[in-house]
Amino acid sequence: MNRRIVIVTAVHAPSARFLPEAYDSLCAQELPAGWEWIWVIQEDGATDEVAPHVPDDERVTFRQGRPGGPGVARTMALAHADGEYVKILDADDQLPPGALARDLAALESDPTLGWATSRALDLLPDGSTAGFPGDPGQGPIERRAVLDYWAAHDYRAQVHPATLFVRRDLLLALGGWMALPASEDTGLLLALNSVARGWFSAEVGLLYRKWEGQVTSRPSHTDAAEREARMAVVAARARALEHCRWRYPAQTD
């Protein structure tokens, strides 16, 4: 039986039209012998608008549920994530060729790494791409490095949480995504960085689509009072994990 990478995607009706392009990017991935991917698509809600865009492929599972935001949808998708690794792919994003294989190689070669991220490019409406300043160099990311950078740079991490590739057991041990209206993926990333070393690939691992209807473009996402509250609880969780001194891999005395 092949070993599995589970692709987890939260989707809502406005972003469902992008699923075929996300699927094409998955089909272009090449994995080592003995490995396969499956795709778990979880609708944040139960409408009739998403299913028509879900690819007809035995590797694809589609589920629906009560609306609660993307973090809730992704966490619910873990009920069907029967693989060793989980890769995040938002419905409107795409994986460049080789992205899955690079993530897998990093974690398979070093059991002390709990997660991996990679360089992301904005995919603009005209099809062009734009990068971000401040990417770290390729290689391991030590514990607290992302948290410290985030705290010193107005709550902006130097690695993109939408590129996350993570060991499934570690993801479950941390409870999945945070119960926040936004920044739930940043909260998970900082929690992971508090307890485990990670990896950054300098090669592009995600095309992050920018479009008018995306959740992060809404005024509520940048509301100052809510943002401060979100960041406070994200930081508190990460620091509490650091204080508890729980580590991955487990340390024995």
Side-chain angles (χ1 to χ4, degrees):
M1 181 177 178
N2 286 338
R3 299 168 70 186
R4 284 181 170 177
I5 300 168
V6 182
I7 315 300
V8 167
T9 295
V11 62
H12 65 333
S15 61
R17 61 192 172 98
F18 298 116
L19 285 172
E21 292 178 67
Y23 173 70
D24 289 343
S25 78
L26 276 175
C27 290
Q29 301 297 308
E30 296 183 0
L31 293 174
W35 284 91
E36 64 182 3
W37 58 261
I38 62 170
W39 192 14
V40 181
I41 301 171
Q42 181 78 32
E43 181 180 354
D44 181 33
T47 72
D48 297 326
E49 299 176 57
V50 174
H53 301 279
V54 175
D56 182 13
D57 188 319
E58 63 181 6
R59 297 171 294 180
V60 179
T61 299
F62 175 59
R63 294 288 188 272
Q64 296 174 300
R66 289 186 289 170
V72 171
R74 293 189 201 105
T75 301
M76 290 296 290
L78 294 180
H80 312 285
D82 57 344
E84 295 175 52
Y85 297 103
V86 172
K87 174 67 175 178
I88 310 311
L89 178 61
D90 287 346
D92 48 358
D93 294 342
Q94 298 174 35
L95 297 179
L100 278 186
R102 289 191 292 271
D103 289 341
L104 178 64
L107 268 62
E108 281 289 287
S109 65
D110 188 344
T112 72
L113 299 175
W115 51 278
T117 54
S118 54
R119 187 179 181 218
L121 295 179
D122 277 347
L123 177 60
L124 304 177
D126 64 1
S128 63
T129 59
F132 302 88
D135 286 339
Q138 173 150 321
I141 299 176
E142 300 302 326
R143 288 190 310 103
R144 284 194 59 92
V146 179
L147 174 61
D148 290 344
Y149 184 98
W150 174 86
H153 291 81
D154 192 32
Y155 308 136
R156 297 184 184 278
Q158 77 274 46
V159 296
H160 204 306
T163 68
L164 184 65
F165 182 94
V166 60
R167 297 185 191 275
R168 176 179 175 269
D169 289 348
L170 177 56
L171 174 60
L172 289 170
L174 290 174
W177 287 264
M178 292 190 74
L180 295 172
S183 308
E184 75 292 331
D185 53 357
T186 298
L188 172 59
L189 175 65
L190 297 187
L192 287 165
N193 184 234
S194 290
V195 303
R197 299 169 70 238
W199 178 267
F200 180 76
S201 174
E203 295 188 61
V204 177
L206 184 74
L207 298 178
Y208 181 81
R209 188 188 302 272
K210 305 290 283 187
W211 58 288
E212 186 176 351
Q214 65 190 146
V215 173
T216 53
S217 68
R218 297 174 184 171
S220 58
H221 185 73
T222 55
D223 176 81
E226 183 192 284
R227 182 173 185 262
E228 285 298 320
R230 293 197 318 261
M231 299 310 132
V233 73
V234 163
R237 181 198 192 194
R239 290 176 181 137
L241 285 166
E242 176 72 17
H243 178 73
C244 290
R245 302 185 69 181
W246 186 82
R247 299 287 184 269
Y248 177 89
Q251 297 177 344
T252 57
D253 295 330

